[in-house]
Amino acid sequence: MKLSDRIWLTKKCRMESENRLNRYDTISKLLITYYSLFIIILSLSDIINCSENFNFSIISYSILILILSLIVSSMRFKERALSYKQCYIKLNELLHEATQIEEKSQNEEDVFKKYNEILNLTENHSEIDYYKVKYYDKSIEKYLSLSKKEFTKLLFHWIKMLFFFIVLILSPFIILYFDN
C-alpha cells in the first residue's frame, strides 16, 4: 500500500472515530436528560397523588443519574472527538504532500516521519472504526475488503450497541415495574 493510501485510510478512520464520539456525546446527553425528566415526572406524580410515603426509588434514580453524569463526563467524548478532527485535518494536509512526493518519485521518509508524529498526537482509532471505513467506503475495495470475521465483529458491534441503547431507554420503566 502506498504511503498516500495509508494516510488517506488513517484519515478516514479518524473521521469515523470523530463521528462515533460525537454520536456518543449526543446520546449520553440525551439519556441524562431523559433520566432527569423521568425523575421529575415520578416526583410530580407523587406530589399529585399526595403520596405520604417516602419514595426510595426517586433517591435511587437521582443517585444513578449523578453516577451516570460523572461517568459520562469522565469519558470526554467531545474533547476526544475534537482531537480526532485536528488529527485528520493534519493528515489531510500531509496527504497532499505525500501525493506530490509520490508523483515525483521522491523519498517519502520525511513524510512518513510526519505521519508518525501526527499519529502520536492522538489516541488510536478503534478497530470498529477501521471496519466501518472498510465496509462503507467502496473506493478502497481494491486495497482492502472486509473479511467475514471483520464483518461478523462489525455486525456484533451494531447489535450490541442497539441492545445497549434499548436497555438504556427501557431501564427506568423496568426498574419502576420491579420497584412497585
Side-chain angles (χ1 to χ4, degrees), residues 103-119:
E103 287 172 357
K104 296 176 184 175
S105 299
Q106 295 176 336
N107 189 351
E108 298 175 343
E109 199 170 307
D110 289 338
V111 175
F112 190 73
K113 283 182 184 177
K114 288 180 187 177
Y115 173 68
N116 283 322
E117 288 171 5
I118 292 171
L119 292 185

Side-chain angles (χ1 to χ4, degrees), residues 12 46-47 62 73 91 104 114 116-117 120 131 141 170 172 178:
K12 294 294 280 185
D46 274 358
I47 291 171
S62 299
S73 66
L91 286 171
K104 296 176 184 175
K114 288 180 187 177
N116 283 322
E117 288 171 5
N120 286 328
Y131 296 157
E141 240 176 51
L170 295 179
F178 287 111

Side-chain angles (χ1 to χ4, degrees), residues 32-160:
I32 289 171
T33 303
Y34 170 72
Y35 290 152
S36 298
L37 286 171
F38 186 80
I39 287 177
I40 291 169
I41 291 169
L42 197 61
S43 300
L44 288 174
S45 72
D46 274 358
I47 291 171
I48 291 170
N49 293 331
C50 298
S51 176
E52 293 179 13
N53 297 336
F54 179 72
N55 196 339
F56 185 73
S57 60
I58 293 175
I59 301 279
S60 302
Y61 294 138
S62 299
I63 292 170
L64 183 66
I65 290 177
L66 175 64
I67 292 169
L68 181 66
S69 299
L70 292 172
I71 290 170
V72 165
S73 66
S74 72
M75 301 294 274
R76 303 177 8 259
F77 294 128
K78 200 67 168 173
E79 295 153 27
R80 291 169 53 210
L82 182 60
S83 177
Y84 280 125
K85 183 175 185 173
Q86 291 167 345
C87 181
Y88 74 70
I89 289 171
K90 289 178 184 176
L91 286 171
N92 197 47
E93 293 168 2
L94 189 64
L95 178 60
H96 179 69
E97 187 178 333
T99 305
Q100 288 179 336
I101 287 175
E102 287 172 354
E103 287 172 357
K104 296 176 184 175
S105 299
Q106 295 176 336
N107 189 351
E108 298 175 343
E109 199 170 307
D110 289 338
V111 175
F112 190 73
K113 283 182 184 177
K114 288 180 187 177
Y115 173 68
N116 283 322
E117 288 171 5
I118 292 171
L119 292 185
N120 286 328
L121 295 175
T122 59
E123 64 184 286
N124 199 9
H125 52 266
S126 74
E127 190 177 56
I128 293 298
D129 297 324
Y130 174 65
Y131 296 157
K132 284 181 183 178
V133 169
K134 287 174 70 173
Y135 181 75
Y136 286 118
D137 201 319
K138 301 303 178 195
S139 64
I140 61 170
E141 240 176 51
K142 61 183 177 184
Y143 299 111
L144 304 164
S145 58
L146 201 60
S147 70
K148 288 183 181 181
K149 181 179 178 184
E150 291 170 336
F151 180 74
T152 304
K153 284 183 177 182
L154 186 58
L155 186 61
F156 180 72
H157 170 76
W158 286 330
I159 292 169
K160 181 177 70 174

